[in-house]
Amino acid sequence: MSQFVAVIDPPEALTTQSVSGTLWSRSSSISCRVHAVNRTPTVNTVVISCLGDVGVAVDRRYQITGVVEGGAADKSGRLRVGDILLRVNGTCTAALEYERIVSLLRSVDGILELKIMASHGSSADTAGDESNEGAVPQANLSPQTGELQPSGTDHKKGLRKLRAVEFDLPSPTSGIQSNGMCVQTSRSHSKITRRAQSIAVDGRPGSTMLRRSFVQLRNWQSDKRFTDTLHCRQQTVQESYCHRSQCQGSIMYPVGAELKSVPGDVRHKEEVVEQAEAFLNEYYESLKKRTDSQSQKKKLEEQQARRMKEVVAQVEMTGTYDMDEKELVFGAKLAWRNSPRCIGRIQWNRLQVFDCRHITTGKEMEAAIRHHIKFATNEGNLRSAMTVFPQRTGKRDDYRIWSPQFFRYAGYKMEDGSVLGDSADVELTERCVELGWNPPKEKGQFDLLPLVVHAANEPPRYFDVSDLLLEVNFKHPDFQWFEELDLKWYSLPAVSNMMLDVGGIQFTAAPFNGWYMGPEIAARNFGDSYRYNLLPVVAERMGLDTSNNASLWKDRAMIELNVAVLHSFKEAQITISDHHSAAESFMQHIEKEMTLRGGCPSDWVWIVPPISGSATPVFHQEMLNYKLKPSFEYQEPAWLAKRLSDKDDPQAAVSRRSSKLTLASAARVVMMSMSMFSPHLMKRAKATVLYATETGKSERYSRDVANLFSHAFAVKVKCMEDFVFSDIEYEQLLLVITSTFGNGDPPDNGESFGRQLYQMRNPPDDSRGRRKVSSGIHLGFTSTDNDNKDDSQPLANVRFSVFGLGSRAYPNFCAFARSVDKLLGELGGERIYENGQGDELCGQEESFRKWVISCYEAACKTFCVDANLKDFSDALATSSKEWQPDRFRVTVRSKGEVEEMNVCKCLSDLHKKTVFPCRLISRTNLQSENSPRATILIQLDTQGESQLAHEPGDHLGIFAQNQPSLVNQLIKKLDGAPHADEPLVIEFKVPVKDHEEWKLFDRLPSCTLRQAFSQYLDITTTPSPQFLAVLASQATDPDEGAHLLELSKGMTTYEDWKFDKCPNICEVLDQFPSLKVPASLLLSQLPLLQSRYYSISSSKSYVDGEIHCTVAVVSFRTRSGNGPLHHGVCSSWLNRITKSAVIPCFVRRAASFYLPEDRQAPVIMVGPGTGIAPFRSFWQHQKFTMHQPQFAIAANGDIPEVQCNTVEEAGQAVKHWDMALFFGCRHPDLDHIYKEEVAELVQEGVLSKAFCAYSRDPNQPKQYVQDQLKREADYIIQKLLKESGHLYVCGDVSMAADVTKTIQGVFREQAGMSDDQARSAVEKMRADGFYHEDIFGVTLRTAEVTDRVRNAARKAWNIIVQSQEDVSKTLVPTPLMTQNKKETMKKKLKVVLEFSVVGLFIVIVFVAGSWH
C-alpha cells in the first residue's frame, strides 16, 4: 500500500483561489486535503496534507511549499518550505514529468527517501555542510515505535546545500503509540534523546496533534521563517520555568531561576560530571570543526576521552575539577553567546577573558579589577572583557563582588522618604557605610561608590575606583539648558555580581563588560520612575504639558534624553550603540546563529528595546526563549549570601573565624607581602613568537624579540611546524616573524601553518575539494575571494603583528609574511602594529629595530602594561650580548668518551628534518672546456631510500661542507683553541641553588673543531650586527671596538660595509686583528650551515634509484672584482668531492610546479641557463611514458593502467603533453647545456618544439628567451589561451619579470587586450594554476651587478625613510585625532611607501635585467 494518503494532479487543474475541503484527483481516487492554492507566473504551488506530507510545486523542479503540523516531516524539522526535491528513492526528479512524480510517490512501499536541497536563506541551509553544528543526517520514522532513529548512514554530498533525509511513513490506519526523537549529529556522533508525551492517533490525515519538537519562527515584517532545532539537540538545555498553565517570560527572576548563593552549597558529584561531559563535548566539537584531517579528529577524540577520565577522577576525589585556560575561555565566550537577554551578543567571540583563578586575596582582586577596567576602557574605545576569579569549592567562602557593577552611584535615603542619587543602590550604599566608607560631606546625585570585594575567608574590603572612572557629562545638540541639569554617567557597564556557570563549575565572581546601548542610560537609568525619574524634569524644561498623558510628554522627553546621551558619548569619542543599530546587528546575529547552530535562545521581552520597539526589526521577530549551559546566573546579593551562610551554619562561621585567628600573625605577614608585590604577581599577558625560516635568521630575530618582550610579557618561542594550530584562537598576543621562500611560498617549516591558516579562512568543501597552499597563500590572495569564507572571526581575541624578511630582488617580496598578516586580520585578529618588512638588500636590521620597538609600545598599550620604553630600547641595543667568556667553555673529551655520530643523523637533529645519505655516482661538466664557467650534472644514488621518492618539479636539499682551506684559516685565528681534531663539547654555566654548575650546551653534537666548522657552522656568511656586537667585546684595540660597535647598530654603515666587502668571518678577523676570539664564542654564536636547494633534473620513473641535479659552479671576487675570491659553498663542494662520497640530502616538495594532471594540456617551458634543470625531469617523465610500450601509466608515473604491446598502442592509450622548450644561454658552443639531448627529444616527439636564444653569439644580435616568446606569439596565444595550456618559468627574478611582461605584451598585441586585461589574464592564470614559476634571486656574482642593485636599493631605501619622516611631520597624530583622520593619515603614508617600493623594484629589475 502507498505510504502517501494522497496525490494530486498538476496544479494547472486547480483554481487560483484559496479553497478547503476535499479535492479528488482525476488520475486517482485517493482523497487529500488542500489547504491553499496559489498561482504565479512561474510557479504553481499546492500544499497537501498527509502523515509526513509535503507540498510540491512544479517549475521544472519540485519545491516543498508547506509542511503539515504533526507529520513526520514536521517533527523532524528537516523538510522546510522552499526546499527543492531532488530525488525520490534514488530517482532524480529534474528530468521527470509531473505524472511520473505522481507515479513514484504512489508506488512507494516502505521507506520513502527524499533527497532535497535546502532553500536559499533558510536558517539551516547548511545542513550537511561540515561547518554546521545543526546538521542532522538521515533518519527513519519507525511506524512501530514512532521514534525518529539514525538510519546508519551519514551522507555528505558534494553540493554545499545538499542533505539527505529518510522518512518511513506509517499508513493512515497505523496508530502511533509514542513519539520521540533520537538524533545522531553528523559531527559528534553522540546521541541525544528527548521524549515527548504519548499520544494516540486517530488515523485521519492531518489530525495528529503531536507536540512540535522543532519550532518554526516567523518574522512578521519580512515573512522570513527559521526553524529552531538547537533547543531539541543541545545536551545543555535546561528545564523551562514556564508551565502549561502559566508563562513567566516577563518575570525578572522566574520562580526557580534565582540562585541562593550560599557558600558551601556545591553541586553533587554526579551533576558536576554530567555537566562537565556535555561541556567537553561542545569544546572538542568546536576543535574538530577547525580541521578537515581525519587523523587530527581522531587525536582530538582520544584527547577528549583522556580529559574526561581526568575530570571524573578529580571530581570523585574533590567534588569539583580544574578547567584548563582554553576550556575556561571557550566556556566564558559560550556563556555570553547563550545569554537570551543580551542584544549585543554578536560580539561574543571578541570577549577577552582574563584568567585570575590564581588569586587568593582581596588586594589581588583589586589589582585584577583595575587591570580589567584599564583594558576595557581603552581610552573610550571600549573592549569587551571578563575576569574570572576562583571557583566555588565548598571548602571556603565564595569569591564575590558586592557591587552589581564596577561603577555605581550612591543612593541616599532622605528623612522624607525620598532618595538622593540612584534609588537602585540604596542598600549597597548602606552596606558600604557599614564597612567604613565615608560619603562626601555634600551629597550629590552622582557620588561614586567604592567597589567592594570579598575574597574567600577574608572580610569584605572596599577600594576607590574614581581614578579609573571615564565619565560622560551630558549635553543636548539643540537644548542649551540641558547642561544645566548636570547629568553624567559612567562609560563602562561592567556587570560584576552574576555567576558564570560552565561545565558544572560555578564561578561566583566573574565580572564582564560590553558597552552601553543608549536607552539603557536614557530610558532606564534616567527615565524609570524608580531610578532617577528624570522624565518630568526634562519635560518641564521642554515646556511640555505633563498633566495630560495624551500630549505624549513622556515619549518626547525620553527621545530627547536618548538624543543627549548618544550625542554626548559620540562627542567624547566613547563607544556606544543606538537601539536601532543594536537591533539590526542582533537580527544579523540570529541569522548567523541559525546557520551555525540551528537556533538562538532569545528573550523577546528583554531583546526589544525600551523605546521605539515596533520601529526596530526585533519587535517583529518571533523568538524562542530557552536556557543553555554555559550561562550567566543571577545570585543573591553578596552581603545576604554571607549572612545566610553564617545563619544557616553558625558552627561553620565560628570555625572559619577561629581558623583565621589561629594563623593570624602569619596571615598578616603574608597579606603585607602580597599587598607590596601584588602588581608584580599579577599574571602577565601571554605572548607567543612564531617563526618560519630557511636560513635561521627568522629564528634569531624571534629569540631576540622573546628576550625583549619578556620585560613585560610571559613569552614563548615556537617554530611554526611545532605550534599546535588548534591553540591559535586562545593566543593573547601573537608575533610572527617569517621569511619567504622562492616565488612567495612559505619556508618548509611554515608550510603546514600557512595551509591551516588559509583553510581556516577558506574552509574546503566537498564540491571544491582541498585547495593547495600555493594557489592561495601568496600572490595577493587571488584565491581567497570565494563563497566559502569563514566569517565567524575565530581569532577575534588574538592581537598580532607580523614581520617579514626577504629581498626586494624577488617580485613577491615578503609575500608569505604579507599573506599571514592578511589572513590573521580577516579571521578577526586585531593588528596592534602594521606588517613590518626587512629587505636584506638594504636596511633590514634597522627595519627590524623600528618594528620591534613600535610593536612593543603598541602591545604594552593594548594590554595596559606599564613599561619603560627607554629600558626596552637599551635592552634592544644589548639583546645579543648574552655571550660572556666565563659563561661558555670548550671541554676536550677523549675519543673513547665520545660516540662517533652519523653525520646525517646529526644534521637531522640539528635542523629538525630527516636527512638521508646519497652517494655520488658521477659528475659531468655540461659546458665546453673553453668556457670560463662550469655547470655540472651530478648523479646521485639514493641507495633505495623510499623517502627520497620525488615528482618532476621537486627540489633536492643538500647539506654541503665549507672549503677546507677556509676552515684551516679560521682555526689558526682562534685564541687558545684546542687541537682541531680532538673531540670536544660545549658547556655553559647555570645557577643551581647557592652555586653554579656547568651544563652541556647541546646546540652541536659531540665533534671536533674541524668537523664543527666544516659541516655544521656557517663561516662564509657576513656576520650579523648582533654577532659584531659580541665580537666588539673581544677587541683589545679601542678604535677597533668602537668601529665594531658602530657596525653592530645595523644602520647604513653596516649595509655599505656588508655589500662592499661581503666579508666572511675570517676576513672580519683580518680586518680587526686585535680580536681575541675563543673557540667557545664561535661554536656557540655562529649560525648553522643551512641546506642549499636545487631543482631535481631527473624523473624517478626514467632513472629509478637516482637523483640528478644541474648545478652552476659559483665563484666571484668581492670589492668590485679586486677583493678575495669567494666560492659557493655547495656548488664548489659538489665540484670537488670524489666518486661515492656521501651527500646528505632530502627532498622538498614543489607541488605548485608539477606537471598538469590533464595530459592533453599544452606545456610551455621557459628556462635559460640552469633554469632548464626541472624541465629535464619533465621530459624524462614524458619520455618514459611514451617509450615503455608494456605499460600505459598514470600522470604521476606510479600506477599501471593499460597493458600495451607497441609504442603506437601506448600513445593511443595514454595521451602525452604537448611540450615546448624555450631555452637561453650565452654562446652555442660554450654553454648550451643539454643541446644534443634536446635535439634527440624533438626528433623523437617527446618535445614538440625547442627554441634557443643566444646573448653572446658574435654571429647574430643579442637575443633572450623573451625575444623568442615574442617571435612565437601566435604559438603562445594558441597554446595558452585557446588550448588552456600551462606556462612554466624557471630562473632568476629578472628573467621571470621580463617573461611576465612579454606574455602580457603578447596577449595585448595578439589577442587585442588592453593593458589591464592582459595583466588580469596573467594573474588569473597564476590564480587558477596555469602559470607556474620556480624563481631564485638575482645572482649577485659580478661587481657590476652588485654595485647597480645595491645602489638602487640604497636610493629607494632613502626615499622610503625620507617619505616616512615627511609624512610623520605633516600628519602628526594627536590624542584627540578622530579615527577617520588616523585612517586618512595611514592611507597617505601607505601610498607614499607603495610608490617608493614599486620604484625600487622597477629599478632593480631594470638593472638586473640588463645583465644576463
Side-chain angles (χ1 to χ4, degrees):
M1 180 178 179
S2 171
Q3 300 301 312
F4 271 82
V5 298
V7 294
I8 60 171
D9 278 339
E12 287 80 1
L14 305 175
T15 61
T16 60
Q17 60 185 5
S18 298
V19 297
S20 62
T22 301
L23 177 72
W24 292 88
S25 168
R26 294 179 305 180
S27 60
S28 68
S29 59
I30 301 177
S31 65
C32 66
R33 178 174 300 170
V34 178
H35 292 286
V37 181
N38 177 32
R39 185 183 299 278
T40 68
T42 58
V43 179
N44 296 296
T45 303
V46 177
V47 182
I48 63 175
S49 169
C50 60
L51 295 178
D53 16 1
V54 299
V56 178
V58 181
D59 181 22
R60 301 184 65 182
R61 295 189 299 179
Y62 298 89
Q63 184 180 36
I64 297 172
T65 57
V67 180
V68 175
E69 182 174 357
D74 169 52
K75 290 187 296 179
S76 75
R78 308 307 294 154
L79 293 180
R80 306 173 192 175
V81 173
D83 291 346
I84 305 300
L85 185 63
L86 299 179
R87 291 178 181 270
V88 177
N89 278 6
T91 302
C92 179
T93 63
L96 300 181
E97 298 294 333
Y98 178 79
E99 287 75 11
R100 177 59 178 152
I101 300 294
V102 170
S103 176
L104 272 175
L105 296 178
R106 294 187 66 187
S107 64
V108 170
D109 187 15
I111 292 179
L112 174 64
E113 178 182 341
L114 303 179
K115 186 174 294 181
I116 63 172
M117 181 170 66
S119 59
H120 183 70
S122 172
S123 62
D125 282 351
T126 54
D129 180 2
E130 288 193 10
S131 65
N132 180 25
E133 295 182 14
V136 179
Q138 299 184 58
N140 302 328
L141 182 65
S142 169
Q144 287 77 26
T145 65
E147 290 189 2
L148 190 65
Q149 297 180 345
S151 65
T153 57
D154 185 353
H155 294 279
K156 293 192 182 85
K157 300 299 181 183
L159 195 61
R160 182 168 184 250
K161 302 298 184 182
L162 200 61
R163 60 171 182 243
V165 182
E166 291 180 359
F167 294 107
D168 187 0
L169 303 176
S171 65
T173 58
S174 300
I176 299 180
Q177 301 303 317
S178 66
N179 176 51
M181 180 171 64
C182 181
V183 178
Q184 180 175 336
T185 65
S186 62
R187 297 193 63 86
S188 67
H189 305 288
S190 60
K191 294 184 177 180
I192 307 165
T193 304
R194 301 206 174 278
R195 296 289 178 182
Q197 57 187 350
S198 298
I199 297 180
V201 178
D202 62 5
R204 291 177 298 171
S207 65
T208 54
M209 300 298 294
L210 302 176
R211 189 182 75 175
R212 293 186 67 135
S213 299
F214 297 165
V215 178
Q216 191 177 74
L217 305 174
R218 177 181 178 183
N219 187 299
W220 289 85
Q221 189 175 46
S222 65
D223 202 36
K224 194 170 186 178
R225 299 166 192 258
F226 301 111
T227 301
D228 192 304
T229 63
L230 179 63
H231 70 285
C232 289
R233 295 181 292 101
Q234 193 75 331
Q235 283 178 286
T236 54
V237 176
Q238 306 299 298
E239 290 297 328
S240 171
Y241 301 112
C242 296
H243 307 284
R244 289 183 176 277
S245 59
Q246 63 180 13
C247 173
Q248 298 188 28
S250 62
I251 299 177
M252 179 68 182
Y253 306 110
V255 176
E258 72 278 3
L259 290 175
K260 297 185 182 301
S261 298
V262 180
D265 183 15
V266 295
R267 289 190 169 110
H268 294 294
K269 293 180 180 179
E270 293 80 5
E271 186 179 0
V272 174
V273 171
E274 180 182 354
Q275 293 196 26
E277 183 177 17
F279 170 73
L280 290 176
N281 282 339
E282 278 197 88
Y283 173 66
Y284 281 97
E285 283 304 311
S286 72
L287 297 181
K288 292 176 190 175
K289 289 173 191 169
R290 297 301 180 195
T291 179
D292 60 344
S293 167
Q294 294 302 319
S295 61
Q296 184 62 28
K297 289 180 181 179
K298 186 176 180 180
K299 288 181 181 178
L300 288 170
E301 289 173 358
E302 294 171 353
Q303 184 179 340
Q304 179 181 355
R306 289 194 301 269
R307 176 62 176 144
M308 194 60 216
K309 286 183 180 179
E310 293 173 1
V311 168
V312 172
Q314 197 172 359
V315 171
E316 188 64 33
M317 184 177 297
T318 65
T320 185
Y321 68 99
D322 294 321
M323 283 186 171
D324 68 33
E325 188 171 10
K326 296 170 193 172
E327 293 168 352
L328 177 66
V329 171
F330 175 80
K333 291 183 179 181
L334 196 56
W336 188 12
R337 187 182 190 182
N338 291 340
S339 300
R341 292 182 170 182
C342 179
I343 195 174
R345 276 179 283 163
I346 197 170
Q347 297 285 336
W348 68 270
N349 207 25
R350 290 189 172 275
L351 180 67
Q352 175 68 52
V353 180
F354 297 112
D355 182 5
C356 290
R357 292 175 294 169
H358 62 285
I359 279 174
T360 59
T361 68
K363 187 69 175 177
E364 290 177 315
M365 288 184 73
E366 176 186 348
I369 290 171
R370 285 182 172 277
H371 179 265
H372 180 137
I373 295 173
K374 289 179 183 178
F375 176 88
T377 303
N378 193 29
E379 299 180 356
N381 185 17
L382 304 189
R383 297 182 287 196
S384 54
M386 174 188 294
T387 299
V388 182
F389 293 106
Q391 66 202 53
R392 170 177 288 173
T393 65
K395 299 178 181 179
R396 64 187 180 210
D397 285 348
D398 291 336
Y399 287 81
R400 291 294 302 271
I401 300 175
W402 284 27
S403 312
Q405 293 187 23
F406 283 163
F407 301 107
R408 296 295 287 189
Y409 294 123
Y412 305 108
K413 201 164 189 178
M414 311 306 287
E415 294 182 358
D416 60 358
S418 62
V419 173
L420 175 63
D422 194 341
S423 302
D425 291 328
V426 171
E427 188 173 7
L428 176 62
T429 303
E430 293 172 352
R431 300 287 82 75
C432 289
V433 171
E434 289 177 3
L435 291 174
W437 176 67
N438 295 316
K441 292 182 179 180
E442 294 185 9
K443 298 176 181 178
Q445 289 193 93
F446 300 101
D447 295 341
L448 188 67
L449 286 171
L451 189 58
V452 184
V453 297
H454 179 199
N457 301 325
E458 281 188 7
R461 67 185 307 274
Y462 65 88
F463 57 93
D464 181 40
V465 289
S466 59
D467 58 317
L468 302 172
L469 175 64
L470 181 60
E471 267 181 329
V472 179
N473 294 297
F474 294 124
K475 57 184 178 181
H476 196 282
D478 301 321
F479 302 142
Q480 298 299 319
W481 49 262
F482 201 94
E483 286 188 77
E484 299 173 6
L485 299 177
D486 290 329
L487 301 181
K488 58 183 177 181
W489 202 259
Y490 48 87
S491 60
L492 185 70
V495 178
S496 54
N497 65 346
M498 294 186 74
M499 173 193 292
L500 172 63
D501 191 352
V502 51
I505 299 176
Q506 297 170 317
F507 296 97
T508 51
F512 60 92
N513 74 274
W515 49 80
Y516 271 118
M517 182 177 71
E520 292 180 280
I521 300 174
R524 301 302 313 279
N525 298 338
F526 286 163
D528 283 348
S529 59
Y530 54 89
R531 294 293 295 280
Y532 278 84
N533 194 24
L534 291 176
L535 294 184
V537 177
V538 174
E540 182 179 348
R541 297 297 296 265
M542 291 175 63
L544 302 178
D545 180 8
T546 59
S547 63
N548 184 5
N549 286 335
S551 67
L552 303 182
W553 64 271
K554 294 181 181 179
D555 307 75
R556 294 169 66 184
M558 187 174 291
I559 290 296
E560 298 306 332
L561 271 171
N562 274 274
V563 170
V565 168
L566 293 174
H567 169 75
S568 303
F569 263 78
K570 290 182 179 179
E571 189 176 76
Q573 298 185 17
I574 296 174
T575 307
I576 196 169
S577 173
D578 64 88
H579 51 290
H580 294 286
S581 299
E584 289 172 1
S585 70
F586 186 73
M587 292 302 298
Q588 296 173 7
H589 175 67
I590 286 182
E591 291 196 27
K592 186 180 292 186
E593 288 292 270
M594 289 292 181
T595 299
L596 294 175
R597 297 210 289 176
C600 180
S602 307
D603 190 336
W604 190 94
V605 175
W606 279 69
I607 296 299
V608 175
I611 62 170
S612 308
S614 62
T616 62
V618 291
F619 180 89
H620 308 280
Q621 175 65 55
E622 293 180 343
M623 301 179 190
L624 192 63
N625 186 16
Y626 49 95
K627 188 177 176 184
L628 300 175
K629 296 285 185 182
S631 62
F632 292 107
E633 306 289 351
Y634 294 109
Q635 302 182 95
E636 289 281 352
W639 56 87
L640 293 181
K642 175 70 176 173
R643 292 172 181 174
L644 281 172
S645 172
D646 292 346
K647 180 179 178 181
D648 294 346
D649 190 359
Q651 188 60 40
V654 172
S655 175
R656 283 194 294 270
R657 285 195 295 270
S658 61
S659 174
K660 292 178 186 177
L661 291 172
T662 304
L663 300 174
S665 58
R668 277 195 295 271
V669 174
V670 172
M671 288 294 295
M672 184 178 298
S673 302
M674 295 297 285
S675 65
M676 291 172 61
F677 295 105
S678 59
H680 306 286
L681 293 175
M682 283 289 296
K683 285 183 72 174
R684 287 181 165 189
K686 295 179 179 178
T688 298
V689 185
L690 289 183
Y691 69 86
T693 181
E694 289 287 347
T695 65
K697 183 178 284 189
S698 295
E699 180 179 4
R700 175 171 62 80
Y701 277 174
S702 296
R703 301 206 178 277
D704 285 346
V705 169
N707 291 335
L708 298 167
F709 269 70
S710 62
H711 287 75
F713 295 85
V715 189
K716 63 181 178 181
V717 180
K718 285 279 187 180
C719 179
M720 285 185 182
E721 67 180 355
D722 298 327
F723 180 69
V724 180
F725 189 79
S726 58
D727 292 346
I728 190 170
E729 59 187 291
Y730 301 102
E731 294 294 337
Q732 292 178 315
L733 176 60
L734 190 66
L735 303 173
V736 180
I737 302 175
T738 179
S739 58
T740 296
F741 177 82
N743 190 32
D745 294 318
D748 262 354
N749 49 21
E751 185 175 359
S752 175
F753 177 85
R755 182 179 66 253
Q756 293 180 87
L757 194 66
Y758 179 77
Q759 289 179 349
M760 176 182 276
R761 180 69 181 103
N762 303 271
D765 61 29
D766 293 335
S767 62
R768 281 207 320 259
R770 181 179 298 184
R771 288 182 177 268
K772 295 175 181 177
V773 173
S774 57
S775 67
I777 197 63
H778 64 282
L779 299 179
F781 297 89
T782 51
S783 298
T784 60
D785 297 327
N786 57 70
D787 296 330
N788 204 39
K789 286 186 177 180
D790 183 358
D791 293 320
S792 61
Q793 296 194 320
L795 307 186
N797 284 121
V798 179
R799 276 79 184 178
F800 73 92
S801 187
V802 179
F803 185 81
L805 292 83
S807 169
R808 294 191 192 274
Y810 285 82
N812 297 301
F813 173 62
C814 291
F816 181 56
R818 289 187 282 113
S819 298
V820 170
D821 179 79
K822 184 174 182 181
L823 287 171
L824 289 173
E826 289 182 344
L827 286 164
E830 179 185 330
R831 186 180 292 101
I832 64 168
Y833 190 71
E834 62 188 11
N835 177 211
Q837 297 174 359
D839 179 13
E840 70 174 0
L841 292 178
C842 188
Q844 189 172 81
E845 296 290 336
E846 185 176 353
S847 298
F848 172 71
R849 288 170 183 269
K850 288 182 178 178
W851 174 80
V852 73
I853 290 175
S854 301
C855 195
Y856 181 78
E857 184 177 7
C860 290
K861 182 177 180 182
T862 299
F863 289 92
C864 304
V865 175
D866 296 327
N868 190 325
L869 287 179
K870 183 180 183 304
D871 292 344
F872 180 82
S873 300
D874 294 342
L876 179 63
T878 60
S879 61
S880 43
K881 296 181 181 178
E882 296 180 1
W883 184 86
Q884 298 293 337
D886 58 346
R887 286 191 62 217
F888 289 87
R889 73 181 183 185
V890 172
T891 303
V892 177
R893 300 285 180 89
S894 65
K895 292 186 178 181
E897 292 182 89
V898 179
E899 180 183 354
E900 186 173 349
M901 300 295 290
N902 178 281
V903 173
C904 289
K905 184 180 185 306
C906 292
L907 289 170
S908 298
D909 294 339
L910 271 181
H911 298 276
K912 296 182 176 60
K913 61 181 67 175
T914 307
V915 180
F916 304 97
C918 287
R919 292 194 178 272
L920 180 65
I921 299 174
S922 67
R923 176 177 58 242
T924 306
N925 186 4
L926 300 174
Q927 295 198 27
S928 167
E929 294 179 357
N930 298 323
S931 173
R933 300 178 302 149
T935 300
I936 57 177
L937 170 65
I938 61 168
Q939 295 176 291
L940 307 180
D941 180 3
T942 62
Q943 304 185 91
E945 179 52 61
S946 60
Q947 294 193 53
L948 288 176
H950 55 278
E951 300 296 332
D954 283 340
H955 301 152
L956 186 70
I958 297 177
F959 285 99
Q961 294 183 21
N962 291 307
Q963 288 269 357
S965 58
L966 190 62
V967 172
N968 293 333
Q969 183 182 354
L970 180 58
I971 292 174
K972 290 179 181 178
K973 294 181 181 296
L974 294 179
D975 182 45
H979 191 278
D981 296 308
E982 289 183 337
L984 52 84
V985 294
I986 314 168
E987 295 177 320
F988 70 107
K989 190 182 296 184
V990 293
V992 179
K993 295 183 179 178
D994 56 347
H995 66 285
E996 294 181 325
E997 292 182 0
W998 288 99
K999 299 287 186 181
L1000 182 65
F1001 187 65
D1002 56 359
R1003 181 181 187 233
L1004 298 177
S1006 296
C1007 60
T1008 67
L1009 201 58
R1010 190 183 309 280
Q1011 288 173 330
F1013 290 147
S1014 297
Q1015 299 173 341
Y1016 303 130
L1017 296 175
D1018 186 350
I1019 62 175
T1020 62
T1021 302
T1022 300
S1024 67
Q1026 289 81 1
F1027 188 79
L1028 294 177
V1030 178
L1031 289 180
S1033 65
Q1034 303 304 301
T1036 57
D1037 186 318
D1039 292 338
E1040 290 184 5
H1043 190 181
L1044 283 167
L1045 285 176
E1046 180 63 26
L1047 291 174
S1048 73
K1049 294 179 180 178
M1051 303 298 182
T1052 306
T1053 305
Y1054 172 79
E1055 298 290 342
D1056 292 340
W1057 174 78
K1058 173 184 174 181
F1059 279 89
D1060 176 44
K1061 299 179 183 296
C1062 295
N1064 55 42
I1065 182 62
C1066 288
E1067 292 163 0
V1068 171
L1069 296 179
D1070 286 338
Q1071 184 180 353
F1072 302 96
S1074 74
L1075 287 174
K1076 301 296 182 183
V1077 179
S1080 63
L1081 190 154
L1082 297 187
L1083 292 175
S1084 63
Q1085 302 299 312
L1086 277 175
L1088 297 177
L1089 183 60
Q1090 301 295 324
S1091 59
R1092 268 58 172 177
Y1093 290 99
Y1094 297 94
S1095 294
I1096 296 176
S1097 298
S1098 58
S1099 166
K1100 66 180 174 66
S1101 302
Y1102 191 76
V1103 283
D1104 189 24
E1106 295 184 14
I1107 292 179
H1108 299 177
C1109 289
T1110 306
V1111 180
V1113 180
V1114 176
S1115 61
F1116 62 100
R1117 289 191 179 274
T1118 62
R1119 303 178 192 173
S1120 302
N1122 299 317
L1125 182 65
H1126 283 199
H1127 299 279
V1129 174
C1130 192
S1131 64
S1132 62
W1133 179 67
L1134 292 172
N1135 199 33
R1136 70 173 181 266
I1137 58 176
T1138 60
K1139 186 177 179 179
S1140 298
V1142 173
I1143 300 177
C1145 56
F1146 60 94
V1147 171
R1148 175 191 170 106
R1149 307 298 171 193
S1152 62
F1153 207 74
Y1154 284 174
L1155 282 165
E1157 295 181 1
D1158 181 6
R1159 283 180 172 272
Q1160 298 184 9
V1163 172
I1164 296 177
M1165 304 174 291
V1166 182
T1170 54
I1172 198 175
F1175 303 137
R1176 188 169 185 263
S1177 69
F1178 283 17
W1179 73 57
Q1180 281 193 357
H1181 183 67
Q1182 169 110 311
K1183 185 174 182 178
F1184 177 77
T1185 63
M1186 294 175 63
H1187 292 76
Q1188 295 294 321
Q1190 68 270 28
F1191 289 117
I1193 64 173
N1196 62 6
D1198 287 337
I1199 306 172
E1201 293 178 345
V1202 182
Q1203 289 250 337
C1204 304
N1205 297 316
T1206 66
V1207 175
E1208 289 75 15
E1209 289 182 14
Q1212 292 174 358
V1214 178
K1215 298 291 184 181
H1216 59 274
W1217 297 283
D1218 178 8
M1219 286 185 175
L1221 174 67
F1222 287 81
F1223 175 70
C1225 62
R1226 292 188 171 191
H1227 196 281
D1229 299 328
L1230 296 179
D1231 58 351
H1232 189 160
I1233 61 177
Y1234 300 121
K1235 183 177 182 180
E1236 292 79 11
E1237 187 173 335
V1238 169
E1240 291 179 7
L1241 294 169
V1242 173
Q1243 192 173 11
E1244 294 175 1
V1246 177
L1247 296 178
S1248 59
K1249 292 180 181 293
F1251 306 95
C1252 188
Y1254 302 113
S1255 62
R1256 301 293 190 275
D1257 186 354
N1259 299 320
Q1260 66 179 35
K1262 283 186 177 183
Q1263 288 197 355
Y1264 302 98
V1265 287
Q1266 305 89 280
D1267 301 312
Q1268 288 287 357
L1269 291 170
K1270 291 178 184 177
R1271 187 175 295 115
E1272 300 298 327
D1274 292 339
Y1275 179 79
I1276 298 297
I1277 292 295
Q1278 176 67 30
K1279 297 302 178 182
L1280 294 186
L1281 294 185
K1282 296 182 180 180
E1283 299 181 24
S1284 299
H1286 290 247
L1287 179 65
Y1288 293 81
V1289 182
C1290 182
D1292 68 42
V1293 326
S1294 61
M1295 181 278 302
D1298 284 340
V1299 169
T1300 298
K1301 293 177 185 177
T1302 301
I1303 296 298
Q1304 291 175 0
V1306 170
F1307 286 177
R1308 184 175 58 250
E1309 295 169 9
Q1310 300 297 318
M1313 297 182 183
S1314 66
D1315 289 343
D1316 290 341
Q1317 288 172 334
R1319 191 180 303 108
S1320 298
V1322 170
E1323 288 305 315
K1324 190 174 189 304
M1325 286 181 64
R1326 283 195 174 104
D1328 295 341
F1330 288 87
Y1331 196 125
H1332 314 263
E1333 292 175 299
D1334 191 354
I1335 297 177
F1336 44 87
V1338 176
T1339 311
L1340 304 178
R1341 298 294 175 242
T1342 68
E1344 177 186 8
V1345 175
T1346 300
D1347 291 343
R1348 288 186 181 181
V1349 175
R1350 171 62 186 150
N1351 290 335
R1354 183 190 299 157
K1355 290 177 181 178
W1357 174 252
N1358 290 335
I1359 292 173
I1360 293 173
V1361 172
Q1362 187 60 46
S1363 300
Q1364 286 178 318
E1365 293 175 355
D1366 292 344
V1367 174
S1368 298
K1369 291 176 182 177
T1370 306
L1371 299 170
V1372 179
T1374 64
L1376 297 179
M1377 178 178 286
T1378 64
Q1379 189 64 29
N1380 289 336
K1381 288 182 180 179
K1382 291 179 182 178
E1383 291 300 322
T1384 302
M1385 171 182 163
K1386 288 181 180 178
K1387 289 178 181 178
K1388 289 182 179 180
L1389 179 57
K1390 184 178 180 182
V1391 169
V1392 175
L1393 294 182
E1394 287 181 349
F1395 178 80
S1396 302
V1397 170
V1398 170
L1400 167 61
F1401 177 63
I1402 291 174
V1403 171
I1404 291 176
V1405 171
F1406 175 78
V1407 171
S1410 65
W1411 168 79
H1412 192 279

